[in-house]
Each structure stands twice: as structure tokens, then as C-alpha cells.
Amino acid sequence: MKHSRSNHQFLASLETGKQRFENGEFNEAIAALEEGLSALGAESEQKKHRADYAAALHYLGSSHLALYNHRESLTFLNECLRLYRQQKNSSGEFDTLCDLGVLYERLGDFDKALDYHLKSLDIAQRINSAESEAKALNNIGAVYYGLRQYDEARQFYQKSLSLKETLPDKKSLAVTMSNLSSVYSSQGKHEEALALRKKVLEIRRELGDRQGECIVLRNLGSSAMRLNDFQNAKRCLLQSLKLAEALDDRRMQAVVHHDLGDFFAARRRYDKAKAHLCESLRLAEALGLKPRQCEVFFSLSSLFKAQKKYADALRHYETYHRLKEEIFNEESDKRLKNLQVLNQLAEAQREVERALQEKQALETEVAQKSSEIARSATYLLKQTYALEYLAMELRQVVSRISGKKTKDKRLLKIVSEIESMKSSESDFALFQSLYDQLYPNFIRRLSERYPSLTPAELIICSLIRLGFSSKEISKIFYASDVAGNRYRNIEKYRLHIRRKLGLTKNSQLFSFLCSFLFQSNLFTNNNLREIGALK
């Protein structure tokens, strides 16, 4: 019942964490997921829920990524990536590779980011998922855009767009269209950018995405200004400002006020230009947006210079220059911190790899010892049953012989000797010593706690603890299978064992045996390695 409650709590916490993540409540998602993992506890329970366990780690990694906790994010993402690969979960592996690519892109390690995104693209093409392939292509385009390699970025965005146009997800389609329009704008291809942004506006309005509509209207205004279409530029910018105010998006208001300031300055309407620029500056200062403040001071300096107010122009330019130096120093510090984080992440990755190598070596050693134990059990049981068979045959011979008491006594003496050989303690001691190398004192403590268990039943308990199925144990116990009896015999053994252990119908024999050493307080961390789950 305890395992049932912990499993239920884990699954409930996973669902809560998932919902919190999707709602953008990342701290709450982390708290729920960590609570669920704590409830799940032992490694054996994690293996029972390995798919959900990997998903929980993935949500934890993604939540930390959203909060810019890069070290924590990398730890969880690397672990769930390993689990997804073990489970051959291509979809989970794809999503994790995408997240890792985003993580390294943020830290400025574009080579590593590109490597992860290319691996995700390979998986998407292998599983023949157009949606995943489009996402991977878009991510690769973003890396090249960050590197200012606009031709490469455009090629990948166009490939992504071609795929997304065949898919029903219009929101994702709008994202790639916006990305491609930014490339065109950076290349000075403003007509191409304008045409795409008009399509994006239609999609945003169709979806009822007011935030997205606000952004694209601002971008349309920017494209129209560069094409000297001042009437449409003004219309789009004013619509964008109205939406930003309705949404109470002060960051966007600062951006659009700045654009309107530049617009009116270009039209030599200096009073309106100054009013919008000052409002942008006020919002930027209130929000602590230093780069926006810097840009607005430059625009104000240009505005005063156009009005031949050179003292004001110089004063604002000096402020602009001071802020620019501060931003440069802060960005240098940020780049240095990113390098430090990358070094820490690299060291953490090496630690994980070392731990995995140690774990794999331990698993190999455990597998080898399990094989030795199985061979020992096979030898012991075959010898026992062979002697038992000989004793039975001799008894039948004795029963058929009559009137020859001397021979009867000699035969009965042989039977007695076989019986004594059958229960050889040295063979069982050999089996127990091998088993103690994996789980010290398990057999001894089990026999002390439940003295009614026979040696054969103790051996079966030991093999179940190692993850052997009834079918596998039957092959060890019996050389041949007459009419399928050997499997049924093991099932009878299991039933007798359950009764002697006092287990209810809802209790799992494997789980009980796994937790037996926990209950006896006779375990160490090195004894908690699992061979496999009972089939």
C-alpha cells in the first residue's frame, strides 16, 4: 500500500508540474515535480515508472531553462536525454536536444547549439515527422541568425516554412514567417519583409493573439518607414501603441513610443517627436531597460541637433555615450560569466560522464555476478534433483526385492547416504556466499525472519530479487518441461512463499523482497543496485 500511495503521489505531482509548466509558472512546476520525485524514492520505483520519471526530469530541465538556471537545467536535461535514449523514445530525445540547443545558444556557444539542433534534425527526419523537422530547421535558422549569417538563416527558415505551410499549426507558421521577415529586414529586403509581415498579421488576428498582433503591427510600421510609406507606418505604429496600452504592456509601449518619436522626427514634427521620445525614456527608466534608454538618448541627441540646439544635443549624446560604455562593460561581464558557466557546465558534463561510466562498470559487474549465481543455483538444484531421482529409483528397487534382507539393508544404506548428500550444506553455502557479494546478509536475514522457508524457497526468493521471471527460474530448476509442468511448479512455489511471508493479494513479491533489506536496516548504498524488473 505504501508503494501504491507513493506512486499515486508521484503521478499526481507530475501532472501538476506539467500544467504549471504549460501555464508559465516555472517555480511552481519545479516545486511540484521535486515533491513527486521525492515521493517516488527508490531506484526500483523509478524503473517501474521510467517513462514518467524521464518526463518529470525533462519538465524540471525545461523549467530551469525558462528561469535561466542553466547549470540545473543541464543536469536534468542530460539525465533525461540518457533515459530517453535507453527507452528508445525518439520524441523525448528530440525535444531534449532542442532544449539543450537553446541553452547553449543563450550562453553564446553557437557551435554546440548547432550540434544539438542538427542532431534533433536527424532524429526528426529518421522518424519522418514533418512537425519536428520544421521545428529543428527553425531552430537552426535561429542559430545562424544569432551569428549574423543571414543567407544560411534564410535558407533554413525557408525550408521550415515550406513544411509548416502543410501543417495545421498556424501559430508556429506565424513564428517562422516572423523570423524570416527579420532576416529580410536585416538584409535590407524591406518589401519581402513587409509582404511576410502582412501574412503574419492575418494569422495573429485569426488566432485572436492580441500580443502577437501588437508586435507585428510595430514591425509593419518599421518596414513601411524604411520604404518611405509614412502614412501606413504611422497607422500601424499607432494601432500597435493602442494595443500595447490595452494589454498594459509597458515594455512594448516604450518600444513603439520610440519608433513614433523617430517617425515624427523624420517628418520634422519635432514637438511630437520629443513627446514620444520622452515618454519612451520614462518607461524605459521605470522598467530598467538600459539598452532602450541608450537608444532613446541617441534619438534625442539627433532630434536636438536637427533643431540646432547643440548644447542639448551634446548633453544627450554624452549621456548616450556613458550608457553605451556601461552596457558594453555589463555585456563583457555577462560574456565572462557565460564563459564561466560554460566551463562549469563542461565540468558538470564530465562528472556526469564519469558517474555513468562507473555505473555501467558496476552494472556489468552485477550482471556477471548474477550469471555466476544463476549457474551456481542451476548446479546445486540439478545435483539435488538428480540425487532425489536416484533415491526414488532405489526405493522402488528395494520395494520389489523380497526375502533378501542383506541386500535390502545394503540398498537402504545407499538410499540413506544419497539422502544425506542431497542436502549438502557446503553447496548451499557456496550459493549464499556468491549472493552475499551483491546483497550481503539477504538470505541469512530472510531465513532468520521466516524460518519456515526451505532452501529451495530461499533460492527462488534470491533469484526473484535479482529480477528473474518464473519462466527463467523454471529453466534453472528443471532440466526438461513435461507438459509445461515446470512453470506451474514455480508458480506453486511462489504461492507457498507468499503465504509464508504473509503477503496480501495486492502486495508484490518482487517489491517486498527489494524492500526487505530496507526494513531490516541492513543495507548500504552500494547494495541498492537493481538487475532488472520482474517480468
Side-chain angles (χ1 to χ4, degrees), residues 189-382:
K189 300 177 180 180
H190 301 299
E191 290 183 355
E192 290 88 338
L194 184 67
L196 272 177
R197 286 168 176 171
K198 286 180 178 178
K199 292 180 181 179
V200 174
L201 180 61
E202 291 177 7
I203 295 173
R204 296 297 187 192
R205 284 175 170 168
E206 182 182 345
L207 295 173
D209 181 2
R210 300 183 73 202
Q211 184 68 51
E213 182 182 352
C214 178
I215 294 169
V216 74
L217 281 168
R218 183 259 171 176
N219 291 337
L220 276 168
S222 177
S223 294
M225 277 185 65
R226 285 174 170 80
L227 292 169
N228 296 320
D229 185 355
F230 296 110
Q231 183 177 353
N232 280 321
K234 179 182 176 182
R235 177 179 57 81
C236 290
L237 290 173
L238 288 173
Q239 287 179 3
S240 178
L241 180 60
K242 185 177 179 180
L243 265 176
E245 290 171 344
L247 295 167
D248 195 28
D249 187 344
R250 302 199 311 168
R251 182 183 293 265
M252 195 63 191
Q253 290 174 42
V255 172
V256 181
H257 274 297
H258 189 182
D259 288 345
L260 283 166
D262 287 342
F263 169 81
F264 285 115
R267 304 296 292 164
R268 297 185 181 181
R269 298 177 65 177
Y270 299 126
D271 289 342
K272 281 198 169 186
K274 182 180 178 182
H276 282 291
L277 290 173
C278 287
E279 180 61 15
S280 176
L281 184 60
R282 184 188 70 79
L283 289 166
E285 288 174 343
L287 296 170
L289 306 176
K290 189 175 286 187
R292 179 61 56 186
Q293 295 173 47
C294 181
E295 293 172 6
V296 173
F297 272 112
F298 183 80
S299 294
L300 282 167
S301 175
S302 299
L303 175 67
F304 288 123
K305 184 179 179 182
Q307 293 177 289
K308 297 183 180 180
K309 296 179 180 180
Y310 298 116
D312 288 336
L314 179 61
R315 179 166 52 85
H316 285 82
Y317 185 83
E318 287 173 346
T319 304
Y320 154 75
H321 192 268
R322 175 178 58 78
L323 286 172
K324 187 176 181 181
E325 283 190 343
E326 289 178 7
I327 292 168
F328 177 79
N329 291 333
E330 289 171 1
E331 288 180 347
S332 296
D333 291 341
K334 184 179 179 181
R335 284 191 290 270
L336 180 60
K337 288 178 181 178
N338 284 347
L339 284 173
Q340 292 172 342
V341 171
L342 284 170
N343 288 332
Q344 291 171 358
L345 293 180
E347 178 59 31
Q349 181 75 11
R350 286 191 289 271
E351 289 176 6
V352 169
E353 289 172 356
R354 283 195 293 270
L356 286 175
Q357 288 173 357
E358 290 174 3
K359 184 175 182 181
Q360 289 169 355
L362 180 60
E363 287 174 348
T364 300
E365 182 182 355
V366 169
Q368 290 172 346
K369 290 187 181 298
S370 298
S371 179
E372 291 177 23
I373 290 169
R375 285 197 298 271
S376 173
T378 302
Y379 169 77
L380 176 60
L381 292 165
K382 282 182 178 179

Side-chain angles (χ1 to χ4, degrees), residues 71 115 118 124 128 148 164 201 235 284 305 315 317 334 359 388 391 452 473 501 531:
R71 185 181 177 89
D115 180 57
L118 287 170
N128 197 28
R148 298 185 180 182
K164 288 187 177 183
L201 180 61
R235 177 179 57 81
K305 184 179 179 182
R315 179 166 52 85
Y317 185 83
K334 184 179 179 181
K359 184 175 182 181
E388 201 170 77
S452 62
I473 295 172
L501 299 179
I531 305 298

Side-chain angles (χ1 to χ4, degrees), residues 15 94 120 135 204 230 234 253 375 412 455 528:
E15 185 61 30
F94 170 83
S120 72
K135 180 179 179 180
R204 296 297 187 192
F230 296 110
K234 179 182 176 182
Q253 290 174 42
R375 285 197 298 271
L412 288 171
L528 302 181

